[in-house]
């Protein structure tokens, strides 16, 4: 109705009927939106289930994480069992305990490999969490080994004089050193590795390394240098040729290299490459179907082609010439540079096709993510190498060279 207030007509709404209609419309709209949202969620769940069913089980995130937790819990449980058994009838003899702890260390290495292989499909957070968990597992097994199997105290002993007493001549010594060098070369050749070294010092060093590193597989031979790789070298050129770096090689490890050059000339994509503690070393690698995981590089140069490249603790002008399916990831790194991959050798084009890198480079090498830099401005820890600064990769040394 209408009422007069101070000689002016004011319209008063009929609250009863209008509000009821508006409320009914609102309820209908909310019900419709809720139904649409439920249908959307159901459709998303159905599609997710369909994708999970069709996905490669090796690339199923939930399946991988569940398996990872199960393997991690088993290692931790066995370590705790060994510790709890000390001083009880269940305690193992020293030799058996050593074999059991070595086996656990081998299990941790296998878990680490699986994380490296899965890093290209795992979300960044899960990948970091798994890597941290593996590091903790390594520390746990190492501490248990030191606690349960303490090393004997070192004592000096007087060595017997050999050379003149036994009538050994300089010629005999040189002959012995040559035989040791030939034995070393033969063992390295079996895994496709050639070394270029000079002088008896390097030869003796190599022989000592091979003698102190177990050559057989199994718990006692799987401490930290299990599987194909190049480890503990200084001032050497190492070539893994196309015939030897086959699909059977799988993962390849580079560890504690100083002033070295390493060439991986594989005809089949390697499954993964892991590198630790490299200094002033250049690595030229063929295609990797999975990931490259690097921990520790000082003033190095890498030529890498992989689905994913993850870099930790690189510094001092380390350069990466890379081709990747996703942008390279750096963490705890500074003064690192990036450029496109250009390494080549006979057969690399076919290997790149098999690894999924056929055609032109997509340019993802320049899409670097710095996980240690959260500010909106660009990270100061990396830059793109100017063309004038880029160093073309050398041709791999001839495998037929003597």
């Amino acid at each position: 109705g209408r009422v007069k207030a101070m000689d002016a007509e004011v319209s008063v709404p009929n609250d009863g009927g209008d509000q009821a209609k508006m409320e009914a419309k609102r309820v209908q709209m909310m019900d419709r939106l809720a139904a649409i949202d439920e249908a959307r969620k159901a459709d998303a769940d159905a599609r997710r289930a369909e994708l999970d069913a069709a996905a490669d089980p090796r690339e199923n995130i939930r399946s991988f994480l569940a398996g990872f937790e199960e393997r991690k819990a088993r290692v931790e449980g066995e370590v705790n069992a060994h510790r709890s058994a000390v001083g009880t009838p269940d305690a193992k003899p020293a030799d058996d305990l050593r074999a059991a702890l070595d086996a656990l260390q081998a299990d941790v290495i296998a878990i680490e490999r699986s994380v490296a292989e899965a890093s290209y499909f795992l979300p960044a957070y899960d990948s970091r969490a798994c890597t941290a968990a593996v590091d903790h597992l390594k520390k746990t097994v190492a501490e248990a080994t030191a606690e349960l199997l303490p090393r004997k105290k070192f004592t000096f002993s007087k060595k017997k004089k050999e050379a003149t007493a036994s009538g050994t001549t300089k010629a005999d010594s040189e002959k012995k050193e040559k035989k040791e060098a030939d034995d070393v070369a033969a063992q390295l050749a079996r895994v496709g590795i050639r070394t270029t070294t000079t002088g008896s010092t390097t030869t003796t060093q190599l022989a000592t390394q091979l003698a102190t590193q177990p050559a057989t597989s199994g718990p006692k031979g799987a401490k930290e240098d299990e599987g194909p790789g190049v480890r503990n070298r200084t001032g050497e050129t190492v070539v893994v040729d196309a015939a030897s770096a086959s699909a059977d090689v799988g993962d390849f490890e580079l560890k504690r290299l100083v002033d070295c050059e390493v060439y991986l000339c594989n005809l089949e994509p390697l499954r993964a490459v892991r590198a630790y503690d490299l200094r002033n070393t250049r690595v030229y690698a063929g295609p990797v179907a999975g990931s490259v995981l690097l921990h520790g590089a000082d003033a190095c140069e890498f030529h890498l082609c992989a689905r994913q490249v993850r870099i930790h603790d690189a510094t001092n002008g380390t350069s990466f010439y890379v081709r990747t399916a996703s942008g390279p990831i750096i963490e705890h790194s500074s003064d690192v540079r990036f450029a496109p991959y250009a390494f080549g050798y006979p057969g690399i084009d076919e290997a790149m096709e098999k690894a999924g890198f056929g055609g032109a480079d997509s340019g993802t090498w320049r899409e670097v993510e710095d996980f240690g830099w959260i500010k909106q401005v660009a990270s100061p820890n990396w830059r793109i190498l100017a063309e004038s600064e880029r160093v073309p990769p050398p041709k791999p040394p001839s495998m037929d060279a003597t």
Side-chain angles (χ1 to χ4, degrees), residues 19-30 32:
Q19 286 187 356
K21 289 179 182 179
M22 290 177 64
E23 181 63 20
K25 287 182 178 179
R26 189 186 69 80
V27 171
Q28 288 178 353
M29 182 178 295
M30 295 300 294
R32 197 178 305 119

Side-chain angles (χ1 to χ4, degrees), residues 1 41 47 78 80 134 146 148 219 259 275 279 285 294 320 330 393:
K41 288 181 179 178
R47 278 183 290 148
E78 291 195 25
N80 291 334
V134 168
L148 301 176
D259 299 327
R279 181 156 54 89
L294 167 68
F320 296 90
I330 67 172

Side-chain angles (χ1 to χ4, degrees), residues 29 100 103 118 137 141 199 206 233-234 241 257 264 266 278 335:
M29 182 178 295
L137 273 184
V141 175
L206 280 171
R233 306 293 175 84
T234 299
D241 66 10
L257 306 180
L264 304 181
N266 44 299
L278 275 58
D335 190 22

Side-chain angles (χ1 to χ4, degrees), residues 79 140 170:
V79 169
T140 298
K170 183 178 180 182

Side-chain angles (χ1 to χ4, degrees), residues 139-174:
K139 184 179 179 182
T140 298
V141 175
E143 288 176 348
T145 301
E147 174 187 335
L148 301 176
L149 295 170
R151 292 182 179 181
K152 293 181 179 180
K153 291 184 178 180
F154 177 80
T155 57
F156 289 98
S157 61
K158 189 175 181 180
K159 292 185 178 181
K160 295 180 180 180
K161 295 183 179 180
E162 298 179 6
T164 54
S166 60
T168 303
T169 64
K170 183 178 180 182
D172 292 332
S173 299
E174 291 177 352

Side-chain angles (χ1 to χ4, degrees), residues 325-338:
S326 59
I329 295 171
I330 67 172
E331 192 168 6
H332 307 304
S333 299
S334 61
D335 190 22
V336 294
R337 298 88 66 86
F338 289 85

